[in-house]
């Protein structure tokens, strides 16, 4: 399996990242500063770096620039609270492959990781299986584009918020299967979320309304006491 280097100084962010990646079958290593990360990728074995910009010893953009100058050819996904257009452009200019602004859903991160490995021609084995599975229901007319973060119903784009998209993407990743409330909260809001679970219910409610407004041939069903399921509506 590919080896992922997580470069993140915040334990509350790094720990869920490491656990999630390991659960998917990846080999994961974590460092909390930029200089050790630069030294680590001089050695072989790191296929992907998840790189925070706000590091305590050196700016993440400098880490990205230096490892590329040193010949690192693996993938780099920048994780940062800086979501401005300038930071995005600079990050890509110094060699990053992708860019995720915090907060982000862990399911979205995993999809980006799998997509990056595919672009680099890296075999992810069992971890890639969810992404390689056939589209759950091509006739449903509901499509979730993870890379573009857009939801389509036939030719109509569903206008969704960031959290609505993350919930929809997670439900769509296992369409027809039940996703537990706990997993939705952990992956979309993160496992350290201490807010009301009604936030999830409100998000699901808005998604249902938006799907109904465009007469989408799919619906979000509540499985009482467990969670939610995105399922296709049979043709009349």
């Amino acid at each position: 399996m590919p080896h992922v280097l997580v470069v993140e100084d915040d334990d509350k962010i790094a720990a869920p990242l490491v656990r999630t990646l390991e659960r998917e079958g990846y080999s994961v290593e974590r460092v909390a500063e930029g200089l050790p990360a630069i030294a680590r990728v001089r050695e072989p074995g790191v296929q992907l770096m998840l790189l925070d910009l706000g590091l305590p010893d050196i700016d993440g953009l400098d880490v990205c620039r230096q490892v590329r100058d040193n010949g690192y050819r693996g993938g780099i996904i920048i994780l940062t609270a800086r979501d401005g257009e300038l930071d995005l452009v600079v990050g890509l200019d110094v060699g990053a492959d992708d860019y995720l602004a915090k907060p982000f859903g862990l399911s979205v991160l995993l999809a980006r990781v799998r997509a990056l490995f595919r672009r680099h021609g890296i075999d992810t084995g069992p971890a890639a299986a969810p992404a390689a599975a056939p589209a759950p229901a091509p006739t449903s007319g509901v499509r979730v584009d993870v890379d573009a973060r857009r939801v389509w119903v036939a030719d109509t784009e569903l206008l969704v918020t960031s959290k609505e998209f993350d919930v929809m993407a997670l439900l769509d990743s296992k369409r027809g299967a039940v996703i537990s409330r706990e997993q939705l909260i952990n992956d979309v809001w993160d496992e350290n979320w201490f807010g009301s679970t009604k936030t999830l219910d409100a998000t699901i409610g808005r998604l249902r309304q938006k799907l109904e407004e465009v007469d989408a041939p799919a619906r979000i069903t509540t499985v009482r006491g467990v969670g939610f399921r995105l399922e296709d509506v049979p043709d009349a």
Side-chain angles (χ1 to χ4, degrees), residues 60-228:
L61 291 175
D62 291 327
V63 174
C64 187
R65 183 182 296 108
Q66 289 191 41
V67 298
R68 288 304 192 203
D69 289 345
N70 291 340
Y72 176 65
R73 293 294 176 261
I76 298 177
I77 299 179
I78 285 178
L79 311 175
T80 180
R82 309 178 198 171
D83 58 354
E85 182 179 358
L86 179 60
D87 288 310
L88 168 60
V89 171
V90 173
L92 296 177
D93 281 347
V94 298
D97 296 284
D98 205 346
Y99 193 103
L100 276 176
K102 300 175 183 177
F104 51 83
L106 292 175
S107 61
V108 175
L109 171 68
L110 289 175
R112 299 286 187 93
V113 168
R114 291 192 294 263
L116 183 55
F117 280 141
R118 287 196 300 271
R119 290 201 299 271
H120 281 251
I122 296 174
D123 181 12
T124 56
T139 60
S140 72
V142 177
R143 309 188 312 277
V144 178
D145 186 336
V146 173
D147 289 332
R149 292 184 64 82
R150 302 171 81 178
V151 180
W152 297 87
V153 177
D155 295 327
T156 301
E157 182 175 0
L158 214 61
L159 300 180
V160 295
T161 66
S162 177
K163 293 301 185 187
E164 289 168 1
F165 177 85
D166 290 343
V167 169
M168 190 70 179
L170 185 53
L171 291 171
D172 183 68
S173 70
K174 296 182 179 179
R175 191 181 299 197
V178 179
I179 306 294
S180 70
R181 296 176 65 90
E182 180 182 16
Q183 183 178 352
L184 285 161
I185 291 290
N186 288 351
D187 286 8
V188 176
W189 282 270
D190 115 24
E191 62 184 19
N192 296 306
W193 169 257
F194 294 109
S196 170
T197 59
K198 290 183 179 179
T199 301
L200 170 60
D201 295 316
T203 303
I204 291 289
R206 291 194 301 271
L207 282 171
R208 282 174 170 155
Q209 181 178 355
K210 291 177 180 183
L211 289 169
E212 290 172 1
E213 286 175 351
V214 295
D215 197 23
R219 63 190 172 201
I220 299 174
T221 301
T222 299
V223 180
R224 194 170 300 279
V226 182
F228 302 94

